[in-house]
Amino acid sequence: MRALRLREWKSEPKLVEVAEPTPGPGQVVVRIGGAGACHSDLHLMDEFEPGTVPWNPPFTLGHENAGWVHALGDGVNGLTVGQPVAVFGAWGCGTCARCRVGIDPYCENPAGAPVPGGGGGLGLDGGMATYELVPDARHIVPLPAGLDPVDAAPLTDAGLTPYHAVRRSWPKLPPGSTAVVIGVGGLGHVGVQILKATTATRVIAVDTRADALRLAEECGADGTVTSGETAAEEIRQATGGRGADVVLDFVGVDATLALGAAAARTVGDLTIVGIGGGTLPVSYFSVPYEVSIATTYWGSRPELVEVLDLASRGLIRPKTTTFALDDALDAYRQMRDGTLQGRAVIVP
Ligand SMILES: [Zn+2]
Ligand SMILES: [Zn+2]
């Protein structure tokens, strides 16, 4: 079969021929219907070097995947060949306290995982290929009726990651509250939809790009602010001087972190989702009282079930552009150039 493989750090991935996987006991092979292209793949190609993460190429890219069950290993029950499924992408040890509640991205026994801190497309072979080998059937989530694998694929990361960030802040988002979404890209635009679908908060979207702010409005944002010197002041004015109860930063560079801190309300949440590598100096007077600052990484298996339910009922709908496997490098080029509309999904 054909697969888009990262062969070494700091290189462009290449479409090559590899052997079709066969499932061992407890494993599942999925025929891929869609594989989302993620901004973090660019970090893999452009920035990572030996030692940055505890794994190494070669491996097939694609960590947000959905398709159909193709083959079942011995002992796998409850799934049938041909059934449409999503693949939960973070593959932890399965037995530590975090994995037991389905939050494999925070696995506390990475040495016991198939690959430490990764999964398919992140250290092991992912979904930008005809088939993907999933090392444990517990990572397979059946798709609810009415949800196509192409639409489901980006939900496993671009949907799940903002969902987890929003869900943990639900108690701070009653009617009358304000949430700010910084960065309306592949994750941020779904974040706006999730806030509107699961809370009664008012949503203000922030981006530097006019077309991204238009996308935010299409996704239901109540207001938009162009990123820049006056953005924090505009958010304060729009909230009667109080600031935002929850700020979700999907960029994570110095400027957006500073904006988040300046726009947050007392007792609010400032959640850093974007892996922009910025830093935020924190001191007694630098952030409003009782603002909680947290990073999040991906989400849990039960939350993926909830995200898929939201999508199957039409309450969220990520904007996607599909590419054939032959054109996958174009998807990454458009992502680099900032011209991509919504999320790129590779359809092998
Ligand atoms: Zn990702
Ligand atoms: Zn674990």
Side-chain angles (χ1 to χ4, degrees):
M1 65 173 188
R2 295 190 316 153
L4 187 73
R5 312 249 311 156
L6 186 69
R7 293 166 308 154
E8 53 191 337
W9 296 127
K10 299 203 173 179
S11 73
E12 286 280 288
K14 200 167 180 206
L15 202 51
V16 295
E17 197 69 29
V18 295
E20 284 182 17
T22 50
Q27 301 182 332
V28 178
V29 170
V30 174
R31 179 160 67 86
I32 295 297
C38 182
H39 206 272
S40 58
D41 296 333
L42 295 183
H43 295 294
L44 295 181
M45 302 170 198
D46 298 347
E47 289 156 32
F48 285 19
E49 44 191 55
T52 305
V53 285
W55 15 280
N56 279 302
F59 56 86
T60 302
L61 291 174
H63 58 267
E64 37 181 70
N65 307 308
W68 302 269
V69 172
H70 176 69
L72 298 170
D74 284 347
V76 178
N77 296 309
L79 296 170
T80 52
V81 171
Q83 181 178 8
V85 294
V87 180
F88 180 71
W91 298 343
C93 75
T95 53
C96 75
R98 294 291 177 263
C99 286
R100 279 187 196 285
V101 295
I103 185 87
D104 288 44
Y106 302 162
C107 176
E108 292 174 315
N109 178 26
V115 64
L122 298 168
L124 293 173
D125 289 343
M128 291 196 182
T130 314
Y131 301 106
E132 181 186 23
L133 175 66
V134 179
D136 193 312
R138 72 195 169 89
H139 302 306
I140 302 291
V141 180
L143 293 188
L147 193 56
D148 178 72
V150 174
D151 294 323
L155 294 170
T156 63
D157 179 10
L160 178 56
T161 300
Y163 185 77
H164 177 78
V166 169
R167 197 187 199 288
R168 65 186 289 281
S169 291
W170 273 352
K172 295 186 180 180
L173 294 170
S177 66
T178 300
V180 165
V181 171
I182 303 176
V184 190
L187 273 67
H189 86 283
V190 191
V192 171
Q193 295 180 2
I194 290 166
L195 283 163
K196 297 302 290 184
T198 66
T199 78
T201 195
R202 193 163 52 122
V203 179
I204 298 175
V206 180
D207 204 294
T208 52
R209 305 160 296 167
D211 57 344
L213 294 178
R214 271 194 299 278
L215 175 59
E217 282 170 354
E218 284 169 30
C219 292
D222 301 281
T224 58
V225 168
T226 303
S227 193
E229 300 261 295
T230 60
E233 186 51 37
E234 287 175 56
I235 292 166
R236 290 232 164 254
Q237 274 173 16
T239 54
R242 293 185 295 268
D245 298 82
V246 173
V247 178
L248 303 169
D249 184 353
F250 289 99
V251 183
V253 298
D254 286 354
T256 58
L257 294 174
L259 169 61
R265 184 182 185 180
T266 52
V267 199
D269 282 343
L270 169 55
T271 306
I272 305 164
V273 187
I275 313 175
T279 56
L280 176 70
V282 173
S283 67
Y284 194 88
F285 294 110
S286 71
V287 287
Y289 296 122
E290 292 192 36
V291 165
S292 298
I293 300 173
T295 54
T296 63
Y297 175 53
W298 226 328
S300 74
R301 193 174 294 101
E303 288 168 340
L304 177 56
V305 174
E306 294 174 7
V307 170
L308 296 173
D309 181 75
L310 281 177
S312 74
R313 290 189 290 141
L315 294 170
I316 60 170
R317 184 179 292 272
K319 191 177 172 75
T320 56
T321 306
T322 56
F323 293 82
L325 193 52
D326 284 306
D327 303 326
L329 289 178
D330 282 341
Y332 289 115
R333 259 191 291 276
Q334 290 185 23
M335 204 184 290
R336 273 197 190 94
D337 297 343
T339 56
L340 188 68
Q341 282 289 303
R343 196 65 156 181
V345 179
I346 312 303
V347 180

